[in-house]
Amino acid sequence: MTANIAELASEFEIRPGQVYLVLNDLGIEHDGVSFEVDNDTLDLVRAGSLEQLESKLIALKPGCTPRDIALALGIGQPEIQKAMISKFRIMKAVGNALTDEEATKIVESYGFEVTFKEAAKPKPKASDAPKKGGAIKRSPVVTIMGHVDHGKTSLLDYIRKANVAAKEAGGITQHIGAYQVELPEGLITFLDTPGHAAFTNMRARGAKVTDIAILVVAADDGIMPQTAEAIQHILAADCPMIVAVNKIDKPSANPDRVLQQLPEHNVIPEAYGGQVITQNVSAHTGEGVPELLELILLQADVMELKADPKGELKGVVIEAKLEKGRGPVATLLIQNGTLKTGDSIVVGNTYGRIKAMTDYRGEKLTEAGPSVPVEILGLNEVPGAGDTLQWFVDEKSAREVADNRVMGDRIKSMTTASRGLTLSKLRQRMQDDGLRVLNLIVKADVQGSVEAVKGMLEKVRNSEVECKIILSGVGSINKADVDLAAASESIIVGFNSKPEGEAKKEAEKRKVEIRTYSIIYELIEDIEAAVKGMLAPKFEEHELGTIEIRVRLSFSKKGLIAGSYVQEGKVTRNAKVRIKRGREVVYEGSVATLKHLKDDVREVTMGMECGITFDNWEDFQEGDIVEAYELVQVNE
Ligand code: GDP
């Protein structure tokens, strides 16, 4: 009988965590969620669960993960993760091991006690796991690199036509980014020329895909900048290289010159006593191409390339895209083991069951072994080139792992770029996300101030939100404070404490708000106001222009209008004004109406006349000077 934790939990009306614990004690690998159980085991589950349920004792194995705790407590992984970050500043992905101390803190915060027990060794599921065979010879995976127009595509095309298309009635029907050619001496897998950066990126991500690199150099052109670049990438990857000197059919071809140039780039051809094999070819006439293929196979023999078709499944994404009507489509190169249709896999952060698998000819396959490139359908999303794949017992386990990776990535991105909570956005976030806790990091000049500020801040709360001080300390605000603030969505408050230069830059980058104060009441008032959603906006004056009042115009209905002239800048209908008579300020307020000739206008600029009325004020005189400005909010 196959069951999973959720099913058993509901059968026994207990929390999933209890089932998991008992199973763990029985030495059954939970491995995601599914496992096989017999009736005796079910009885044990029942007995064990009920006993443990009463004691409120949670048994965990040393080095358990947040996921184990979530399962044990029967609560969601995101919830645990949130609690870990906000309460304890523990930043770990759900699959990462916690220290016993960390695990204890987390479990206890949910009102449970914890005991650490080494779980019995999980029994391997003989039926599920791929059986081990022996490593056998596999075909080489080859990438062609070189300068643009030196004939990479032509060479690939020639090889393909001569060795693939001729055998297939329909020729090549699919472009999957990789294909195999069959020679009497063996198979070769070619990858479409990836571009040098892509070649190195894949390598940097640990995806050692290419066994042999073919450097194509046109015999009439010699080594060009991209040839030199390709050489650097190949040497850096420590990948064996064969130089194909192409276009030898051309009258202007000078293959010897290419050989002479190579040593300047640290490539010593065999002809010069070095190790690097070279071959003259023509992608047009096909001359030298069979020899080149032979050399590839010889090189592969020397390298003793091996893989185990029955071993652990390993593979890498060559390319992937989203196709209309087909969903995510990925070309995988199998590196070890055998991939079968119906298999559940995780690829990078994506997962799925393989619905269909085709080869480079578009032919359906049911399985693919080492060095075989296949296009697969069935992933939930598009993986990235260079992502590696892993096999799972079932889709559920695959999904769990993929979800955890996504979560892990999210945590990582939280620590590099936070959404940036600011005090003025606090209210919005409370409404949008139901934010209930305002996390604060407090830094002050002396311990006494730290305590005073902490004491007062801890009292700031209302029915909706409370302040939580996740870190406090003496000294200036440093980068570590900002890192923590970004990860925990905290606001940093400094009392007589300023950010260090590096911290300031980091805070700007990660949108962490740092507020500094030298008067304790202002600090408390701001936080109180923010919690109440009443943080007073801070404004700065931005000067608009200077206007001279030249005449008092009287209209019986509208009252008095100041006939004015804009000396500098402009005046707008919404402007604030400060009116000066000599040095004295006689009015501070705002423009009520603004007219140019007879029309109401939005603004009047330098050199123009206008008629202005002011809010509740008519005592202006000829010669009064109006300073117009606007207020711009600066704390948003
Ligand atoms: P890539 O940019 O390196 O992929 O180069 P292409 O394969 O597109 O070739 C660039 C040009 O060189 C095309 O016009 C080809 O027809 C030509 N070409 C490629 N190989 C040969 C060759 O062996 N002989 C001659 N004469 N021309 C070639």
Side-chain angles (χ1 to χ4, degrees):
M1 164 182 180
T2 303
N4 67 43
I5 290 174
E7 284 160 13
L8 290 178
S10 96
E11 184 179 332
F12 297 127
E13 293 181 12
I14 53 177
R15 289 175 306 120
Q18 303 298 342
V19 180
Y20 160 72
L21 284 176
V22 175
L23 287 172
N24 222 4
D25 264 5
L26 293 173
I28 294 175
E29 171 64 297
H30 67 98
D31 195 16
V33 274
S34 266
F35 38 23
E36 286 179 9
V37 281
D38 53 25
N39 284 338
D40 290 348
T41 313
L42 288 184
D43 286 345
L44 285 167
V45 169
R46 184 189 311 246
S49 300
L50 296 179
E51 193 186 301
Q52 287 199 344
L53 195 63
E54 271 156 26
S55 73
K56 277 202 120 190
L57 188 67
I58 297 284
L60 291 167
K61 53 181 193 276
C64 66
T65 64
R67 186 190 311 131
D68 294 336
I69 297 182
L71 275 165
L73 295 170
I75 58 176
Q77 294 174 14
E79 187 184 331
I80 287 279
Q81 201 121 41
K82 230 173 162 177
M84 277 165 45
I85 296 172
S86 65
K87 289 188 187 156
F88 307 115
R89 296 168 46 214
I90 301 170
M91 277 169 279
K92 281 188 181 166
V94 286
N96 283 359
L98 295 162
T99 64
D100 292 355
E101 197 190 329
E102 287 170 338
T104 308
K105 269 196 230 166
I106 300 167
V107 171
E108 285 180 354
S109 74
Y110 286 90
F112 285 85
E113 285 171 40
V114 65
T115 143
F116 290 96
K117 279 190 195 169
E118 246 350 304
K121 272 258 174 281
K123 288 176 202 155
K125 281 167 284 176
S127 56
D128 289 338
K131 288 177 193 67
K132 280 250 177 295
I136 54 167
K137 190 175 155 185
R138 68 169 173 84
S139 50
V141 179
V142 176
T143 303
I144 301 190
M145 296 167 85
H147 194 73
V148 66
D149 275 351
H150 277 199
K152 299 182 292 292
T153 319
S154 305
L155 188 60
L156 266 176
D157 282 350
Y158 182 88
I159 294 171
R160 212 179 334 213
K161 279 199 200 106
N163 299 283
V164 183
K167 291 206 183 87
E168 309 298 327
I172 297 156
T173 54
Q174 280 234 326
H175 170 91
I176 67 166
Y179 62 91
Q180 287 189 297
V181 298
E182 206 175 335
L183 302 163
E185 303 84 15
L187 284 167
I188 304 175
T189 303
F190 281 94
L191 301 183
D192 274 0
T193 70
H196 307 155
F199 173 82
T200 293
N201 278 348
M202 277 220 193
R203 208 103 191 168
R205 298 185 58 192
K208 196 171 171 286
V209 185
T210 304
D211 299 312
I212 301 166
I214 308 294
L215 179 75
V216 172
V217 190
D220 58 341
D221 217 9
I223 292 183
M224 296 300 279
Q226 284 166 14
T227 320
E229 187 186 282
I231 291 173
Q232 279 175 9
H233 282 265
I234 298 167
L235 292 179
D238 206 9
C239 179
M241 162 185 346
I242 297 175
V243 179
V245 183
N246 191 31
K247 304 197 187 182
I248 50 158
D249 58 292
K250 281 188 136 183
S252 54
N254 186 355
D256 288 342
R257 191 169 69 104
V258 176
L259 296 200
Q260 284 161 16
Q261 287 177 329
L262 284 169
E264 291 165 27
H265 299 270
N266 299 323
V267 177
I268 321 288
E270 274 185 328
Y272 283 61
Q275 305 266 318
V276 179
I277 312 165
T278 62
Q279 174 65 45
N280 292 350
V281 294
S282 164
H284 273 191
T285 66
E287 191 188 339
V289 176
E291 289 82 355
L292 176 68
L293 297 175
E294 225 167 87
L295 286 170
I296 293 171
L297 287 172
L298 275 175
Q299 174 66 36
D301 276 348
V302 172
M303 293 167 79
E304 294 186 2
L305 301 169
K306 284 193 171 150
D308 179 0
K310 291 183 178 148
E312 187 192 347
L313 182 67
K314 281 187 190 154
V316 58
V317 177
I318 302 298
E319 61 174 41
K321 56 191 178 248
L322 193 62
E323 266 185 30
K324 247 196 176 161
R326 297 175 81 205
V329 179
T331 297
L332 306 177
L333 176 76
I334 309 304
Q335 297 175 301
N336 199 55
T338 301
L339 182 67
K340 303 189 184 82
T341 43
D343 275 355
S344 295
I345 55 171
V346 168
V347 184
N349 285 346
T350 70
Y351 71 92
R353 255 186 96 230
I354 299 195
K355 280 199 284 195
M357 200 154 67
T358 45
D359 69 5
Y360 58 93
R361 289 167 291 209
E363 275 173 21
K364 280 216 161 5
L365 294 181
T366 51
E367 52 178 66
S371 293
V372 177
V374 281
E375 188 179 81
I376 59 149
L377 296 182
L379 293 178
N380 69 326
E381 281 183 47
V382 181
D387 278 351
T388 52
L389 68 129
Q390 256 177 302
W391 177 91
F392 280 82
V393 192
D394 56 22
E395 199 177 351
K396 257 190 195 163
S397 335
R399 181 193 182 136
E400 198 189 332
V401 171
D403 285 351
N404 286 336
R405 289 194 187 165
V406 172
M407 178 67 86
D409 280 0
R410 258 186 225 147
I411 293 195
K412 257 192 237 151
S413 69
M414 264 172 75
T415 53
T416 47
S418 109
R419 290 173 59 193
L421 178 66
T422 63
L423 273 192
S424 35
K425 282 191 202 139
L426 178 64
R427 200 74 198 164
Q428 197 59 42
R429 289 288 304 276
M430 282 162 69
Q431 277 160 9
D432 291 351
D433 304 356
L435 194 78
R436 293 284 170 269
V437 180
L438 170 60
N439 286 335
L440 296 167
I441 291 175
V442 176
K443 293 301 274 286
D445 52 347
V446 290
Q447 192 58 35
S449 322
V450 174
E451 295 307 323
V453 174
K454 264 175 70 179
M456 289 173 87
L457 282 177
E458 269 162 2
K459 285 190 209 117
V460 176
R461 66 166 69 216
N462 63 15
S463 55
E464 289 166 89
V465 64
E466 65 179 283
C467 293
K468 177 172 233 131
I469 292 155
I470 65 166
L471 177 85
S472 61
V474 175
S476 53
I477 297 160
N478 57 34
K479 186 173 169 290
D481 298 329
V482 177
D483 286 343
L484 177 61
S488 57
E489 281 203 294
S490 303
I491 285 165
I492 304 179
V493 287
F495 178 67
N496 289 334
S497 159
K498 298 250 180 279
E500 292 166 4
E502 199 193 0
K504 215 171 182 172
K505 272 193 223 140
E506 191 69 13
E508 273 164 26
K509 200 166 89 197
R510 295 162 77 163
K511 303 210 164 36
V512 167
E513 185 172 27
I514 300 179
R515 291 200 160 222
T516 54
Y517 301 86
S518 51
I519 299 169
I520 202 160
Y521 286 107
E522 280 182 4
L523 186 162
I524 303 300
E525 259 174 37
D526 267 8
I527 302 291
E528 270 176 347
V531 165
K532 286 186 198 138
M534 295 186 325
L535 187 69
K538 261 195 206 155
F539 292 101
E540 244 173 35
E541 270 185 30
H542 279 207
E543 203 177 303
L544 288 174
T546 318
I547 304 102
E548 184 192 354
I549 297 179
R550 292 195 166 165
V551 59
R552 282 163 64 92
L553 300 167
S554 170
F555 294 93
S556 57
K557 267 191 213 156
K558 294 176 192 151
L560 281 175
I561 295 180
S564 314
Y565 174 80
V566 182
Q567 291 180 326
E568 233 185 276
K570 63 177 182 183
V571 57
T572 64
R573 195 164 58 199
N574 304 322
K576 299 262 170 212
V577 292
R578 187 176 296 112
I579 300 182
K580 285 187 176 162
R581 193 166 297 153
R583 282 196 187 161
E584 193 192 352
V585 175
V586 289
Y587 171 74
E588 270 202 77
S590 44
V591 170
T593 63
L594 180 65
K595 280 186 189 293
H596 177 60
L597 302 175
K598 283 188 177 155
D599 302 325
D600 283 311
V601 289
R602 234 176 245 182
E603 63 174 47
V604 180
T605 50
M606 187 167 134
M608 286 165 75
E609 291 183 334
C610 55
I612 314 178
T613 62
F614 303 101
D615 254 352
N616 295 321
W617 192 68
E618 291 185 341
D619 296 336
F620 43 81
Q621 289 178 10
E622 245 170 69
D624 283 352
I625 296 295
V626 181
E627 288 173 8
Y629 61 92
E630 62 185 358
L631 289 175
V632 178
Q633 190 169 346
V634 288
N635 61 347
E636 182 30 78

